[in-house]
Amino acid sequence: MRRGVAKKTAPAAAAAKKTAAKKTAAKRAPVKAAAKKAAPKGVAAEKAVTKKAVAKKAPAQAAETTVLKKAAAKKAPAEKTVAEKTLTKKTVAKKAVAKKTAAKKAVAKKAATEKTVAKKTATTEAAARKTAAKQTVARQATARTPAKAAAGKGAAPTTPAAGGAAPRKAGARKIPAQQAAQKKIPAQQAAEGTPGPGSPAEPPAPVTVAGPAALDAADRDRLLSGTHHDPHSVLGAHPVPGGVAFRAFRPFALSVTVAAGAVRAELHDDGDGFFTGLLPLRDVPQDYRLLVAYEGSVHETEDAYRFLPALGELDLHLIGEGRHEELWKALGAQPMTHQGVTGTRFTVWAPNARGVSLAGTFNYWDGTGFPLRSLGGTGVWELFVPGVGEGELYKFEITRPDGSKTLRADPMARRTEAPPNTSSIVCASEYEWGDAEWLERRGTPAPHEAPFSVYEVHLASWRPGLTYRQLAEQLPAYVKDLGFTHVELMPVAEHPFGGSWGYQVTGFYAPTARLGTPDDFKYLVDRLHQAGIGVLMDWVPAHFPRDDWALAEFDGRPLYEHEDPLRSAHPDWGTLEFDFGRREVRNFLVANAVYWCEEFHIDGLRVDAVASMLYLDYSREPGQWVPNEHGGRENLDAVAFLQEMNATVYRRNPGIVTIAEESTAWDGVTRPTHVTGPGGFGGLGFGLKWNMGWMHDSLEYMTKEPVHRRYHHDEMTFSMVYAYSENYVLPISHDEVVHGKRSLVSKMPGDWWQQRANLRAYLGFMWAHPGKQLLFMGQEFAQGAEWSEAHGPDWWLLDPAYGAEADHRGVRDLVRDLNTVYRHTPALWQRDTDPSGFRWVVGDAADDNVFAFLRYDAEGAPLLAVSNMSPVVRDEYRVGVPEEVPAWHEVVNTDAARYGGGDVVNPEPVKPDPQSWHGCPASIRLTLPPLATVWLRPA
């Protein structure tokens, strides 16, 4: 092709050449001739080389035939004509000046007379060429397969989406290529006088721009490598000398056109996905859009890089201080309307990253063209993406300090894909709660002064296969029928490995997607509340797994974990411990606790593995840990975190309760944070603490044959030595019925009858003992096998067709009756934390294997509990009682026939004798059934 130096000088020759060129352009159906400015000597056909893609390559012609770019999946430009190279790439010295001059004027003579030719000739020729180019574009667009218009959705390159997920466009608009081409003019032609928003009333004189719209090499390289900290400063629309520079970074696009009012100006293709142009506008238009052409379609969308930051200064300040108590509203994916446009704001904390990009179904998992900007020194990166809405999958593509890249799930994601998939999902809740009455009365009275019996549940295996909403139809009714006041859900937060039971969390802000959506989980909580049942949740802030798509070395360096390997690696579980001393990490966890209570109406958090947090030497040998600043083994950072978490949760959510799974003798676990104990620490601020000592001691006693129990009598009584040092829960949890420990009934000695009798006696003793109760699912009906998350409880044991069904149903009936009497007897819960609410009657009858004690309510009304842990009936067994009670009647007897026992009962009220016994002024004589517990109340 010619380089644009005219050989014919006469106007007639130019006109003839122009006519021939127009005819040639009209015949080349595959070629898109985007209109350009008038060329010298009528060489319009040579210079009508478009940057838009064609479906097929134009057939080779003579020397004047142009070889067009063909759009591929990655938009690698093909061969370019010599004329294109001359016009678009060579801008140096006199040749560039000559070309620009030639483009504006029609040349009638040779080079000596070029500057004096009338402008009308050029204008006429340009109009004619423009008309021909439009006709050609229209024919080409018709020849291709027309794109279907989809309201609210936009097309992207036809690269397969990661994981095979079908993309959804929430707001961008796809229009047929033919329609998009009809009003499109090159940016240079628009600069010559086409009015647009913000332009002067009179068309300005032609402006010659020396290329201020193009990006410099450094910015290009940083954007291409994903290391640009402020892409908004170079992309989008920016005022520059001579007008407004428009820059777009759209890898795989064939062309990009700016649509501002009536003006549509095609940007210049600078290669590598960059498109730039300069329009002579006085101001940046506020409502311009981009028409991004891909093969077969045009995607119309807002420019993500024209928006101001969607995260406020106060949010950034609180994040920097580590005190943003509603962190989930500032970080993560937040659907919103910003500057009048709907979309989603994406923010992530990655202070060590050299750059962060956004990848998802909306860009076919290529984040190159979606870089986020860094917002100051907080380490937060942000990008508002118009048109992206709920349901889109996404991850953050992070460039590490060493330049390598990693694709990470959002730490703040409120919804995730179901494992084994790991993508985060844009989520906006639309749930309307119906538990206002429950919330209004929650916490009255305080949990430690109220009935509190807990049914622990692993949701995924309680009834395997049920979703959150299906569980909502069964679980509340079952728990209410058994009389429990609360359910405790084993960890609900998303976790990749089901065998961890939820204790290795990767999605701290997302309910597991195995059972449904976050709104589905809210529905389950709501239905439990409406049934009068509180909801506790296991929460795991102690550690997290090492998955390379989650939190571990999130931005290329230790971030959520401690930078010291001795402090970061958990020795028992192969996981990583949080860096509780880093304020942003502490904020992440404190806000997470608040999140579950406020967004999901959780009534309490049982905090897992507190002991592993409190001690620097936990499960570590000498030399594997470093003492604190005082030379001690206490983890002062963890102490401060737990105190802050408890203080914040209780302040923001009155009526909730936090429960510590803490297995040591740490002083002040349930003491208020502002009260200093003998060890010099303020209390940790928990409401309740699991009594692990009682659990271990009592189970150790019960596993012994009755003949040997006399030697272990103190294991049942020692708990009362420290019973009032903390506010306790008596836990028979999942940990006690797995990994070879056997189920609760299988721990008991003897034959099947004795095992069930021991179990019933133990449950009666437990429910009467000071403290709250917790029982794991399956133990309420004496399941013989250990629990497995793969199949859950053995419900078939309660099938009437099963021969031993009555044995299992009897134990469940006992649990129901224990809860019923418990809830209606304030002596069993009102003074759990007050020593005056308990009195030993028989605590030293080791040879008899008998225990007896009194419980008192706030008014002094008593309940007498007597347990006979030997396999013999003890007739006329004398027990001391208060003299003011005229008669006692039996309210619970675990040996009753309806529970599967031998029915050795005390059917009539028992009147006391004036004979003092066991230090009491009066006494009663009871028939104690074998391996049984009896409760009596004043008649």
Side-chain angles (χ1 to χ4, degrees), residues 291-353:
L291 279 70
V292 185
Y294 299 100
E295 187 171 2
S297 65
V298 176
H299 178 196
E300 182 177 347
T301 183
E302 299 278 354
D303 186 357
Y305 295 92
R306 77 172 180 86
F307 294 94
L308 296 172
L311 191 64
E313 290 296 328
L314 178 59
D315 288 313
L316 291 173
H317 172 75
L318 293 174
I319 291 171
E321 292 289 319
R323 297 183 61 190
H324 203 307
E325 295 176 359
E326 295 181 344
L327 190 63
W328 67 94
K329 296 182 180 179
L331 297 181
Q334 186 74 39
M336 64 193 312
T337 298
H338 181 48
Q339 295 179 216
V341 178
T342 58
T344 298
R345 181 197 66 202
F346 294 90
T347 47
V348 64
W349 179 60
N352 298 311

Side-chain angles (χ1 to χ4, degrees), residues 122-139:
T123 305
T124 305
E125 290 179 350
R129 280 191 293 273
K130 180 179 176 183
T131 303
K134 285 184 178 179
Q135 292 174 352
T136 303
V137 171
R139 282 194 297 272

Side-chain angles (χ1 to χ4, degrees), residues 917-938:
W917 205 259
H918 296 137
C920 296
S923 59
I924 57 175
R925 290 174 294 173
L926 298 173
T927 299
L928 299 183
L931 301 175
T933 295
V934 176
W935 292 358
L936 301 102
R937 284 194 310 208

Side-chain angles (χ1 to χ4, degrees), residues 730-854:
L730 311 179
I732 300 298
S733 72
H734 62 278
D735 279 329
E736 310 316 315
V737 295
V738 291
H739 299 325
K741 295 180 182 179
R742 298 174 294 174
S743 70
L744 192 55
V745 70
S746 297
K747 295 177 190 290
M748 305 301 168
D751 57 22
W752 176 235
W753 189 96
Q754 291 177 326
Q755 284 182 312
R756 288 183 293 115
N758 274 297
L759 173 60
R760 293 193 304 267
Y762 181 67
L763 293 175
F765 177 85
M766 171 182 172
W767 251 253
H769 191 282
K772 312 306 180 183
Q773 296 78 36
L774 179 140
L775 188 65
F776 183 61
M777 64 182 192
Q779 311 315 302
E780 76 274 17
F781 58 82
Q783 173 176 313
E786 286 188 348
W787 169 67
S788 167
E789 79 280 355
H791 59 74
D794 292 332
W795 296 108
W796 56 270
L797 296 173
L798 298 171
D799 187 342
Y802 175 59
E805 177 266 346
D807 297 343
H808 299 279
R809 178 170 43 80
V811 175
R812 190 174 66 171
D813 289 344
L814 171 65
V815 171
R816 181 189 296 109
D817 290 350
L818 288 173
N819 275 324
T820 300
V821 176
Y822 170 79
R823 295 180 72 164
H824 291 90
T825 307
L828 291 173
W829 45 263
Q830 201 169 51
R831 300 168 81 178
D832 269 333
T833 59
D834 183 351
S836 63
F838 176 89
R839 178 185 173 185
W840 276 116
V841 176
V842 181
D844 57 356
D847 291 340
D848 297 336
N849 296 347
V850 171
F851 307 89
F853 52 84
L854 287 162

Side-chain angles (χ1 to χ4, degrees), residues 357-375:
S357 298
L358 181 68
T361 49
F362 42 85
N363 59 15
Y364 285 76
W365 295 101
D366 181 9
T368 308
F370 287 74
L372 281 68
R373 64 180 150 202
S374 174
L375 298 179

